[in-house]
Amino acid sequence: MRMVLAGTPASRGMALGRARLVQPSRHAIDQRPLRPEEVPGELARLHQAIDIARQELRELRGKLHGALAREVNEFIDAHSLLLDDRELLQGLDELIQVGHYRADAALKKQRDRLVQVFEAMDDPYLRSRKEDVDQVIGRVLAALKRQTSPEERKLAARVGEILVADTIAPTDMAHLAGHGLLGVVASSSSAYSHSAILARSLDLPMVVGARDALSSIHDDDLILLDAEHGEVIVHPTAPDLARYRAWQREAQQQGRRLAALAHAPTRTRDGVHMHLFANAEMPADIAAARACGADGVGLYRTEFLFLRGKQLPSEEEQFVAYRDLVLGMGGLPVTIRTLDLGADKADAAGLALHGEDNPALGVRGVRLSLRHPAVFTTQIRAILRAACYGPVRVLVPMLTQPDELIAVRTLFKLARQELSRAHVDLPEKLPLGAMIEVPAAAINMRALLAHADFFAIGSNDLAQYVLAADRGNDALEGIYHPLQPALLRLIAHVIGLGRRAGKPVSLCGEIGGDVRLTALLVALGLTEFSMHPSQLLKVRERLAGLDRTALRACAPRLLRADTYEDVQALLDQLA
């Protein structure tokens, strides 16, 4: 019988396929106590399952390339660390040796203990890491079950199906996307979680917050995933299938329309020129940006160089990466963001601090760079050398106050003097920009105007800090919302001050590539967008249908709104 489950669209699109449920917490647990003579064998079985889980993560890391590797490797590292955690492993052994628990019961017991610890933490980011515990324990439980039930189909081999889970780790999503996964239904999670962001970059339909999905959907049920409207239709009827086929035809037509826009100018309906830049970090991103006719790279992430090995990257290694980036863009401008480690990005070399009480508010971004001036100077030298091959700007992340930007400019000046004495070719000019993602920087923007040549709004972190809400926490979905008036007023404030000072302002967060919000950003005065290359043509098409003059006239009404529902209602009227 047809059934419709409501959720929240996290990645747009539609998919029709068979449901495949993933319920690691619902594995049948053998509660029978062990006999003393069974303990050694049960320990061996547990250790073998843990080794299998470790090997799966190593193999997954080896298979990932390009942007996927950057997006997912930090989660692989976090899960690998958990599998090597002494407290976790000793606790499991003791439960088997002393408590006579069977391996699966010990895993569940230890999982419940750790989740309770995480849930008791005050910091929302740390509370959200309980998902990592669930996913790691689930991987080991699955390995245990495969040992006893070889006939069970492996998750990695599930082709052409729609995954139904409580949450899905970015690691699993990246792997399954390469094996024909059609879409994802999550009973919890958030539309702004790392997994949702990854799903959007993969063009993989995803609905989150479908609360009854695990209890209402069964393996092999035919489901229509409608991530355009946030619906999961179980046992779709003929009209549902007809609607899906109509959507497929429209998607094909849109694909042809977008392809024709690849190298078209980016203008609004009333003829105002806009700039569309790409967020990038790997050669594949550069190629995609060029293919879509991007105006340049608005945000080049350098963290991948620091995350992929146990040693800090050398100056030469960084220089080659930055030079190839500049050459790859063929004379178009490139904005290189300096190292942005910390919070949820911890490098294997140990540069980022571990064990901070509140890492999201800790030593990250420029704070970390200035804490390690020798490491930072190595990156600065590499950027200066690469900037001779084409137009380069430098963007400094996580700025709070002007003295941080002054310190960075001083380090650039000293590095330039050193390289000049060594007769190294240097660029005549290297614009230095401030990334606005800390509320203090946005509020005190006037002070930064004297020291920054341009600005880039990092809307993902700015939203988290303004709203005091973790974007990955689905319980806060009503608070973490890009249409919150306080956030919009701050964005408009930054854009307005930059425009009046004659300094460029771009926006490089998730909302920049969301076509549902393009009209809003234009109304706020934005003329420079930076986004994942996959969204660039969609935003170009959307801009072509907008009247910027009319939208700007509506900005005062939008900024007087009291709630995000009021903002949404105004946007609906404008549409």
Side-chain angles (χ1 to χ4, degrees):
M1 183 179 295
R2 182 181 187 269
M3 175 172 51
V4 179
L5 303 177
T8 301
S11 178
R12 298 277 166 166
M14 294 180 75
L16 179 70
R18 297 283 177 184
R20 184 59 58 227
L21 270 63
V22 180
Q23 300 172 303
S25 62
R26 299 189 182 194
H27 281 300
I29 303 299
D30 191 345
Q31 302 286 1
R32 294 174 300 151
L34 287 171
R35 296 190 301 274
E37 62 271 18
E38 292 180 304
V39 168
E42 198 68 5
L43 278 172
R45 199 166 76 92
L46 171 68
H47 294 166
Q48 183 183 354
I50 292 172
D51 287 340
I52 290 172
R54 289 191 186 111
Q55 181 61 28
E56 287 176 349
L57 291 175
R58 284 194 293 268
E59 289 175 356
L60 179 56
R61 175 183 276 280
K63 292 175 182 176
L64 295 177
H65 303 284
L68 276 184
R70 204 283 308 170
E71 293 280 1
V72 172
N73 279 347
E74 62 190 78
F75 294 94
I76 294 177
D77 292 340
H79 290 191
S80 297
L81 287 171
L82 267 175
L83 284 171
D84 290 328
D85 184 79
R86 181 178 299 178
E87 183 178 346
L88 172 67
L89 298 178
Q90 285 181 349
L92 288 169
D93 284 355
E94 287 175 5
L95 285 169
I96 293 174
Q97 291 171 324
V98 180
H100 286 191
Y101 283 77
R102 294 186 184 273
D104 51 356
L107 283 163
K108 184 179 184 303
K109 181 76 172 177
Q110 193 72 329
R111 175 261 176 209
D112 293 345
R113 285 177 178 173
L114 291 172
V115 167
Q116 191 173 17
V117 170
F118 278 108
E119 287 180 338
M121 292 179 175
D122 292 331
D123 180 65
Y125 169 75
L126 291 176
R127 283 201 306 274
S128 72
R129 304 312 289 183
K130 68 182 181 184
E131 284 190 10
D132 288 326
V133 176
D134 268 335
Q135 290 155 3
V136 168
I137 296 297
R139 188 178 290 276
V140 179
L141 277 169
L144 269 175
K145 190 169 183 180
R146 283 201 295 275
Q147 292 176 51
T148 57
S149 305
E151 72 282 358
E152 182 182 342
R153 286 171 290 179
K154 294 182 180 179
L155 188 62
R158 289 169 178 165
V159 178
E161 296 173 334
I162 295 173
L163 204 64
V164 182
D166 182 35
T167 62
I168 179 172
T171 49
D172 291 329
M173 182 180 292
H175 181 52
L176 291 167
H179 289 77
L181 182 68
L182 297 176
V184 177
V185 177
S187 59
S188 62
S189 196
S190 161
Y192 301 98
S193 67
H194 289 287
S195 293
I197 292 171
L198 183 58
R200 289 192 284 274
S201 70
L202 293 169
D203 281 330
L204 194 67
M206 182 178 184
V207 166
V208 300
R211 300 294 178 191
D212 298 324
L214 286 171
S215 58
S216 302
I217 301 174
H218 303 92
D219 272 336
D220 290 324
D221 278 349
L222 183 65
I223 60 175
L224 176 59
L225 173 58
D226 184 352
E228 296 290 331
H229 302 94
E231 292 181 342
V232 182
I233 303 170
V234 187
H235 305 305
T237 59
D240 295 320
L241 299 179
R243 181 162 58 89
Y244 173 59
R245 287 191 293 271
W247 174 84
Q248 284 182 309
R249 289 192 294 270
E250 171 58 28
Q252 290 172 351
Q253 292 170 6
Q254 184 190 48
R256 289 192 289 270
R257 287 199 313 270
L258 293 180
L261 293 174
H263 297 285
T266 305
R267 293 194 183 94
T268 59
R269 196 173 68 210
D270 53 336
V272 179
H273 185 71
M274 296 285 181
H275 298 278
L276 296 187
F277 297 93
N279 296 341
E281 64 185 306
M282 304 298 284
D285 302 329
I286 305 307
R290 292 293 301 273
C292 293
D295 292 319
V297 171
L299 174 67
Y300 181 76
R301 304 180 183 93
T302 60
E303 296 78 57
F304 80 97
L305 291 166
F306 293 77
L307 292 170
R308 67 187 186 185
K310 293 186 178 180
Q311 302 296 324
L312 293 173
S314 66
E315 179 183 327
E316 193 64 23
E317 185 181 355
Q318 293 185 65
F319 161 68
V320 169
Y322 306 151
R323 180 202 62 193
D324 290 351
L325 159 70
V326 176
L327 292 174
M329 288 308 295
L332 294 172
V334 167
T335 301
I336 298 176
R337 185 177 68 184
T338 59
L339 183 61
D340 189 18
L341 287 179
D344 59 344
K345 288 178 284 190
D347 61 309
L351 189 64
L353 297 186
H354 294 276
E356 289 186 285
D357 289 338
N358 196 340
L361 303 179
V363 181
R364 54 172 300 200
V366 69
R367 303 169 183 179
L368 185 68
S369 294
L370 293 176
R371 190 184 180 96
H372 299 278
V375 175
F376 193 22
T377 297
T378 298
Q379 181 175 45
I380 289 171
R381 287 170 59 95
I383 293 173
L384 283 167
R385 291 170 57 194
C388 290
Y389 292 84
V392 171
R393 306 190 306 177
V394 176
L395 182 61
V396 184
M398 201 65 186
L399 279 166
T400 305
Q401 49 202 23
D403 64 336
E404 293 168 323
L405 196 57
I406 294 169
V408 172
R409 198 176 284 280
T410 299
L411 288 174
F412 267 92
K413 182 178 179 180
L414 293 173
R416 181 184 282 273
Q417 291 171 352
E418 291 175 0
L419 291 169
S420 180
R421 286 194 294 268
H423 306 291
V424 175
D425 289 335
L426 295 169
E428 290 184 11
K429 185 180 179 183
L430 192 68
L432 191 63
M435 195 161 185
I436 305 299
E437 50 194 335
V438 175
I443 294 167
N444 198 28
M445 171 109 168
R446 292 183 190 278
L448 289 171
L449 286 169
H451 306 285
D453 300 310
F454 68 96
F455 298 87
I457 300 170
S459 59
N460 296 351
D461 274 329
L462 184 62
Q464 287 199 115
Y465 294 136
V466 168
L467 304 172
D470 176 18
R471 64 180 176 178
N473 189 336
D474 59 308
L476 301 177
E477 205 160 23
I479 298 175
Y480 186 97
H481 197 289
L483 299 185
Q484 285 284 9
L487 177 63
L488 299 185
R489 289 169 192 147
L490 211 51
I491 290 174
H493 170 73
V494 171
I495 294 171
L497 283 179
R499 184 180 66 251
R500 288 191 287 275
K503 298 193 174 183
V505 178
S506 65
L507 186 144
C508 54
E510 275 289 299
I511 64 175
D514 190 337
V515 293
R516 296 167 299 171
L517 302 178
T518 304
L520 170 67
L521 295 174
V522 171
L524 297 183
L526 190 69
T527 58
E528 294 189 10
F529 299 70
S530 191
M531 65 199 70
H532 191 279
S534 65
Q535 296 301 111
L536 199 142
L537 295 179
K538 297 174 185 176
V539 173
R540 180 172 291 154
E541 182 183 49
R542 177 68 175 134
L543 285 168
L546 298 177
D547 186 319
R548 181 178 183 271
T549 304
L551 287 172
R552 290 290 290 139
C554 294
R557 290 172 60 203
L558 287 167
L559 295 175
R560 285 197 300 269
D562 293 327
T563 67
Y564 74 82
E565 291 92 349
D566 294 340
V567 175
Q568 185 64 67
L570 286 169
L571 284 179
D572 291 341
Q573 291 177 24
L574 294 176

